[in-house]
Every structure is written in structure tokens, then in C-alpha cells.
Amino acid sequence: MKRSDTPSHDFYIKNIAHVLRYKNDQRLAAYDITEPQARLLGHIHGAQNSGQEISRRYLSKAMQISGPSVTSLLNNLEKNGFILRRSGNKDGRTILIELSEKASLLLNEMSDILTSITEELLVGFSEEEKLVYLMFLKRTYDNLGIESHI
């Protein structure tokens, strides 16, 4: 097979990302949450655990989405009882975001959901291959220069 007959890295990366999001959305639907909302919860949780200040700007950068998109996700999370928002200072210019009990329970279950999806992805890989693959994925992620607390 010639090099030009082989799909590019881009083909596989985009299609794997698409299938992962679809599978995540299917499994998370039972919890009344979408994959982007669940990822946002993960970023909020990670930031809280590391003492990072949580702002719309921080979440926008971590998620690599626009500020209005973050606001829309936060509105839906609040509407569905996953987060609580309140003013953070005397003049009300900052917003404090807290995870609800419902979000904490979901975050625990999300770990199981993500583990099962990872197991599907890695069927047929030896333990050594899994470690090498993880090393390549981490290097690829680091090359993007995205800071995250997940």
C-alpha cells in the first residue's frame, strides 16, 4: 500500500474524537447531561481540587471554546442541578461556581463510564502497547499547549 493510500493521522484523530463524543453522549444521556457539559464539570472539579480560581475565562481556555459557549454550558448545568452559582464579591462582578451533590455523584460514576470506553478502545493491546500508546497521546496533548486540571 502506498503512503498516499493510507489515511492520514488527521483522519484517525478526527474520527476517533467523533466516535468517542458520540459514545460518551449516549452513555451520559441517562444522567441528563451532554459530553461537553460533563467535560466542563470535570474542569470545574479539577480546578477546585487544585485551588485554581474558576472563571469563565479560565473555563473557556481549558475547554478551548468561546466565553458565550461556556456560559451556555454553565446555564444548562445550573438548570439541571449540577452546579450552583453565586456572586463572589461585594459588587457582584465575579461568580463562584460550586458543584452540587448531584454533580459529585455523577463525577464518581463518570469514572466508570470513561473506564469502560477506554477498555473498548484498547481491546487487543498488550499492557506494554497501552503504555506506549498513552505516552504518545500525552506527548500529542502536550504539543497542543493546553493547560488542564483534568
Side-chain angles (χ1 to χ4, degrees):
M1 181 180 275
K2 289 190 253 174
R3 173 96 171 119
S4 62
D5 295 337
T6 304
S8 67
H9 293 84
D10 187 53
F11 168 84
Y12 288 108
I13 291 167
K14 284 181 180 177
N15 283 289
I16 289 169
H18 174 75
V19 171
L20 283 175
R21 181 164 179 185
Y22 179 75
K23 284 179 174 282
N24 285 336
D25 275 336
Q26 283 185 312
R27 292 181 182 167
L28 292 169
Y31 301 94
D32 199 26
I33 192 168
T34 64
E35 189 269 347
Q37 291 170 346
R39 277 190 1 174
L40 187 61
L41 280 182
H43 282 287
I44 294 167
H45 179 71
Q48 284 181 336
N49 286 344
S50 68
Q52 171 74 34
E53 181 181 319
I54 303 169
S55 66
R56 188 178 83 154
R57 178 175 291 167
Y58 164 78
L59 294 172
S60 177
K61 185 177 177 184
M63 295 274 296
Q64 295 293 295
I65 60 175
S66 70
S69 293
V70 169
T71 298
S72 177
L73 290 171
L74 289 171
N75 288 342
N76 285 321
L77 287 171
E78 185 175 36
K79 183 177 92 177
N80 291 325
F82 289 104
I83 63 167
L84 306 166
R85 289 192 281 192
R86 58 186 169 86
S87 293
N89 60 17
K90 293 177 185 170
D91 64 8
R93 286 185 293 167
T94 62
I95 302 287
L96 295 177
I97 300 169
E98 297 177 26
L99 297 176
S100 68
E101 182 65 27
K102 182 178 180 180
S104 296
L105 293 171
L106 175 63
L107 286 166
N108 290 333
E109 292 187 36
M110 271 179 31
S111 176
D112 293 338
I113 292 168
L114 297 176
T115 297
S116 70
I117 292 171
T118 300
E119 287 170 357
E120 284 180 39
L121 283 173
L122 299 176
V123 167
F125 283 73
S126 70
E127 291 305 312
E128 183 179 337
E129 289 171 327
K130 289 176 187 178
L131 289 173
V132 170
Y133 187 52
L134 181 60
M135 179 187 69
F136 287 137
L137 288 172
K138 183 182 178 333
R139 190 182 316 161
T140 302
Y141 186 80
D142 290 345
N143 286 343
L144 295 173
I146 300 169
E147 291 184 34
S148 174
H149 294 285
I150 290 187

